[in-house]
Structures are given as structure tokens and as C-alpha cells.
């Protein structure tokens, strides 16, 4: 009997451990916790309610925090459909000086959820424009620069991100320019200006 009681927790724990301790009500239900049982665990303090339908195991609050933990929470908020993007992705890749107050997520067309803390962008992203991280996905450095440029991010932030990426040898000017051209004239102009600043 005791083993059967522990099975749901073991299943949910394994899942949450890959998501920095976070999980959704739907995931808990799938792993064997009724909504009544979920309410019980929140009331007992075993789980921390982070947002509507998003929880975290209490134990993870005692572990050293990772600077990207909150991005897992917002990925779950988007039901796993959101990809960290734009200037938030620049921060994940440690490129340049961008430090956005909001979280930028790119979601598929048709996604309708809203939250004041999140800037939602709608696009169909190709797999080669996405990287997998622990508990969330993020646009690649090249894509992050191009989409930030297209979004009108401050030119100094674009210049610094481009300079950092080229200094690392992680991309070529050609790759950056092609990605920017794909997203329009505004992105192309900002990236071209960044090349000029880098040579100056």
C-alpha cells in the first residue's frame, strides 16, 4: 500500500526535477493527483502555488536558485508552447547589455493567453532556430539578435550583442545578416549598423 501511495509523488518528482521543481495542475493530474489532492498539498505547504495551475515542490525553494528558473515557470504558463525569445533570449545567451523587465515569449499563432509580465510574440519557429535548455526552450543567439533588432531594441544593445557573438566566433556576419533579412528591413538595418560599429 505504501509503495502505491508513493508512486504518484515519484512520477511527479521525476517530471518536476527536469523543470527546476515546477509543474502544472494538468501534469500532477496526469501523474495521479486529483484536484482535491492538489489542494491538500498546497494547504499543507508541500507545494507552493506559483500561478494559476502552476506549482513548485517546496524543497526546490531551499536549493541554490538558477538565474533562469523563472523561465521554466513561464514556459509552463504557456502550456509548453512558448519559446524564450527576443531580448530575454539575449540574456539567456549572455549577449550584450540587454536587461528587459518583461519576459519575451514567442508562441504559435492562435495562442491567446496574456499576462502583464509577458510580452507575447506570435510566430511559427523552425526547429533550427531553437535550443533546448533545462525546462525551457530558447531561440538561438543568431535568431535572438535578429528578432530583437526587428522588434526595435535599442541600437546599443544590438551592437553589444552582435560584438559579443562575433567575438566568440559563434556565428558569422553572413549568418547574422541572413537571419536579419528574413525578419525585415528594420532588423537588417540594425544588424548592418552593428557591423559598422564593431569595425569602428
Amino acid at each position: 500500500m505504501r509503495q502505491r501511495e508513493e508512486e504518484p509523488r515519484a512520477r511527479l518528482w521525476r517530471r518536476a526535477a527536469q523543470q527546476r521543481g515546477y509543474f502544472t495542475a494538468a501534469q500532477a493530474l496526469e501523474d495521479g493527483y486529483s484536484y482535491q489532492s492538489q489542494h491538500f498539498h498546497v494547504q499543507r505547504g508541500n507545494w507552493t502555488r506559483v500561478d494559476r495551475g502552476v506549482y513548485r515542490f517546496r524543497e526546490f525553494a531551499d536549493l541554490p536558485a538558477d538565474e533562469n528558473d523563472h523561465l521554466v515557470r513561464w514556459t509552463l504558463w504557456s502550456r509548453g508552447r512558448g519559446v524564450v525569445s527576443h531580448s530575454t533570449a539575449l540574456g539567456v545567451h549572455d549577449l550584450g547589455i540587454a536587461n528587459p523587465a518583461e519576459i519575451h515569449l514567442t508562441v504559435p499563432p492562435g495562442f491567446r493567453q496574456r499576462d502583464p509580465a509577458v510580452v507575447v510574440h506570435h510566430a511559427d519557429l523552425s526547429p533550427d532556430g531553437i535550443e533546448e535548455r533545462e525546462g525551457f526552450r530558447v531561440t538561438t543567439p543568431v535568431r535572438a539578435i535578429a528578432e530583437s533588432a526587428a522588434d526595435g531594441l535599442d541600437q546599443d544593445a544590438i551592437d553589444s550583442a552582435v560584438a559579443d557573438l562575433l567575438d566568440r566566433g559563434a556565428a558569422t556576419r553572413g549568418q547574422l545578416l541572413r537571419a536579419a533579412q528574413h525578419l525585415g528591413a528594420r532588423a537588417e538595418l540594425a544588424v548592418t549598423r552593428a557591423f559598422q560599429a564593431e569595425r569602428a
Side-chain angles (χ1 to χ4, degrees):
M1 180 68 179
R2 180 174 172 77
Q3 185 178 1
R4 285 201 299 273
E5 288 173 356
E6 290 178 345
E7 282 175 0
R9 187 179 194 281
R11 286 195 298 269
L12 186 58
W13 183 269
R14 277 195 301 273
R15 186 200 296 263
Q18 297 174 354
Q19 300 173 164
R20 305 295 298 177
Y22 293 99
F23 56 93
T24 65
Q27 290 175 334
L29 189 66
E30 191 177 300
D31 285 340
Y33 289 95
S34 67
Y35 289 121
Q36 183 178 359
S37 175
Q38 293 179 32
H39 180 73
F40 169 80
H41 283 286
V42 172
Q43 292 299 109
R44 288 291 300 269
N46 299 328
W47 302 354
T48 303
R49 186 179 186 274
V50 177
D51 200 349
R52 183 179 179 184
V54 179
Y55 305 101
R56 197 180 196 196
F57 276 113
R58 181 194 62 206
E59 291 88 344
F60 278 80
D62 300 325
L63 297 177
D66 184 278
E67 62 183 344
N68 294 323
D69 280 0
H70 64 296
L71 300 178
V72 180
R73 171 253 173 104
W74 290 112
T75 297
L76 292 174
W77 169 85
S78 74
R79 301 187 183 110
R81 302 176 75 194
V83 178
V84 175
S85 63
H86 294 75
S87 53
T88 309
L90 293 181
V92 171
H93 296 300
D94 195 23
L95 291 172
I97 59 174
N99 187 25
E102 310 96 345
I103 304 298
H104 288 258
L105 283 182
T106 295
V107 296
F111 184 89
R112 292 289 172 259
Q113 279 180 249
R114 291 282 183 270
D115 189 283
V118 181
V119 179
V120 173
H121 306 268
H122 293 90
D124 283 318
L125 296 173
S126 62
D128 62 0
I130 300 171
E131 291 183 3
E132 295 284 344
R133 294 295 176 98
E134 186 182 4
F136 68 95
R137 294 177 298 158
V138 60
T139 53
T140 61
V142 169
R143 169 80 192 191
I145 289 173
E147 62 198 4
S148 296
D151 198 41
L153 184 65
D154 180 76
Q155 186 65 45
D156 287 344
I158 299 297
D159 292 352
S160 61
V162 167
D164 282 353
L165 191 62
L166 293 176
D167 284 349
R168 294 175 194 173
T172 65
R173 287 183 178 82
Q175 289 172 321
L176 280 166
L177 188 59
R178 283 191 295 276
Q181 288 169 338
H182 183 70
L183 293 181
R186 186 182 200 179
E188 182 181 0
L189 179 60
V191 167
T192 301
R193 285 176 172 166
F195 293 159
Q196 294 167 348
E198 199 237 346
R199 292 191 183 104

